Amino acid sequence: MSQNAAGTVIVISSHVVRGSVGNRAAVFALETLGHQVWALPTIVLPWHPGHGRSTRLTFAEADFDAAIDDLIRAPWIGEVKAVLSGYFGNAAQARSVGRLITALREQNPDLFYVCDPVMGDLGGLYVPEATAEAIRDHLIPLASLATPNRYELAWLSGAPLESNTEIMEAALALGPARMLVTSAVPMMAGGTGNLYLSGRHALLAEHRLIDNPPNGLGDLLAALFLSRLQSGMEDAKALQLATASVYEVLARAVKRGSDELTLANDASSLSTPMAMVQMRHLMHPAQRRKS
């Protein structure tokens, strides 16, 4: 894929010195698939805090906002076709990124914005509630595609989501035209799924559940799905390939006994995954209302 065909992507998320989470995962995936990437860190850490003490390096709110101003005025901003945001260090950063998306869309109404609302998991929120609220109020309404996990979507929608029907209803109510929900309710025994909902499709991509996975899977999936969609690929194929890549990378890292995704060893899994993924077409909520 050529640079012009792939398009430049701005990626805004956390950066770790060691590991493959946040920007480290997303940038590698996008560059492997042929994109030029502008990467803006929201915080810097030696490694994921799950590994132990990890000093959090932060930016003053005014400095981060000034960097956003620089991006808006950049002479090369016309190259940018998409933006992906992930983890934020504070609520002000989310508001600043909302301003960036609005400014870029004034120049390019077709700008594709992926909001990965990195805010929590089964145990609840792991960011301050003010940050989660800023993502909900300032970024989700701007998103071309949102990629929450089921527990983040439950927080955003204000209701527990115990079935894929409830997940789809919550996704429709939240607003983005496309929603990719990870940790969906599996239909296969011992599996896990990614549920994708658009105006036309309700799709579930499933694979075998692997216990105690390394971090960074959500960051990786959002970047891969963004790339596949930007290439013009049909939604179902894009979902299949992105899911297969993540599963293959995960399985290989676990087989090596690694505590991190081993992306440098598995670049071929990003471009040409071989893992099998079970694809299911679900009844779209709009069809259910008509029947």
Side-chain angles (χ1 to χ4, degrees):
M1 189 183 293
S2 69
Q3 170 186 346
N4 290 337
T8 296
V9 182
I10 298 178
V11 181
I12 305 169
S13 191
S14 57
H15 175 87
V16 291
V17 176
R18 174 192 182 270
S20 297
V21 301
N23 272 7
R24 288 290 302 273
V27 172
F28 186 90
L30 288 165
E31 290 182 340
T32 297
L33 294 180
H35 297 267
Q36 296 295 312
V37 179
W38 299 4
L40 176 63
T42 52
I43 63 168
V44 177
L45 300 161
W47 42 76
H48 189 280
H51 294 317
R53 175 182 169 84
S54 184
T55 300
R56 182 184 176 103
L57 306 178
T58 60
F59 303 99
E61 292 179 7
D63 290 342
F64 187 89
D65 203 49
I68 292 293
D69 283 332
D70 292 344
L71 292 179
I72 292 171
R73 295 191 299 261
W76 320 277
I77 200 66
E79 301 171 5
V80 176
K81 306 301 181 188
V83 177
L84 167 61
S85 69
Y87 182 89
F88 290 105
N90 54 55
Q93 291 181 340
R95 293 190 292 268
S96 295
V97 170
R99 193 163 59 81
L100 171 67
I101 302 304
T102 300
L104 294 184
R105 285 213 172 118
E106 290 176 358
Q107 301 181 50
N108 175 16
D110 295 326
L111 178 88
F112 197 79
Y113 169 48
V114 179
C115 178
D116 183 12
V118 181
M119 59 174 70
D121 54 26
L122 181 59
L125 290 180
Y126 49 64
V127 300
E129 190 163 330
T131 302
E133 290 172 347
I135 294 170
R136 179 193 65 196
D137 298 341
H138 296 278
L139 296 181
I140 292 291
L142 297 174
S144 312
L145 165 70
T147 62
N149 62 40
R150 190 205 322 179
Y151 314 106
E152 289 161 341
L153 179 59
W155 186 90
L156 289 165
S157 63
L161 305 176
E162 303 299 336
S163 70
N164 286 334
T165 298
E166 291 176 343
I167 289 172
M168 288 188 285
E169 293 289 354
L172 276 182
L174 196 58
R178 306 184 193 211
M179 185 83 74
L180 176 60
V181 184
T182 60
S183 303
V185 179
M187 297 178 68
M188 61 184 285
T192 187
N194 298 323
L195 194 159
Y196 173 68
L197 188 72
S198 70
R200 297 171 49 224
H201 297 288
L203 303 168
L204 182 65
E206 293 183 285
H207 60 76
R208 182 172 60 85
L209 180 67
I210 296 178
D211 293 328
N212 302 314
N215 293 294
L217 299 175
D219 307 303
L220 185 61
L221 181 67
L224 291 169
F225 193 51
L226 162 62
S227 177
R228 297 302 187 182
L229 291 176
Q230 284 295 97
S231 74
M233 190 173 289
E234 193 270 334
D235 289 5
K237 186 65 173 177
L239 178 61
Q240 177 191 1
L241 285 178
T243 301
S245 288
V246 171
Y247 176 44
E248 194 168 303
V249 166
L250 168 60
R252 291 183 172 185
V254 170
K255 186 176 181 180
R256 294 186 183 104
S258 175
D259 62 355
E260 291 282 352
L261 300 177
T262 48
L263 297 180
N265 299 99
D266 298 321
S268 64
S269 297
L270 304 181
S271 55
T272 53
M274 304 298 290
M276 297 297 294
V277 172
Q278 175 71 49
M279 296 293 296
R280 303 180 191 270
H281 289 264
L282 307 180
M283 179 176 284
H284 196 287
Q287 293 176 303
R288 189 177 298 108
R289 293 184 187 120
K290 291 178 182 178
S291 60

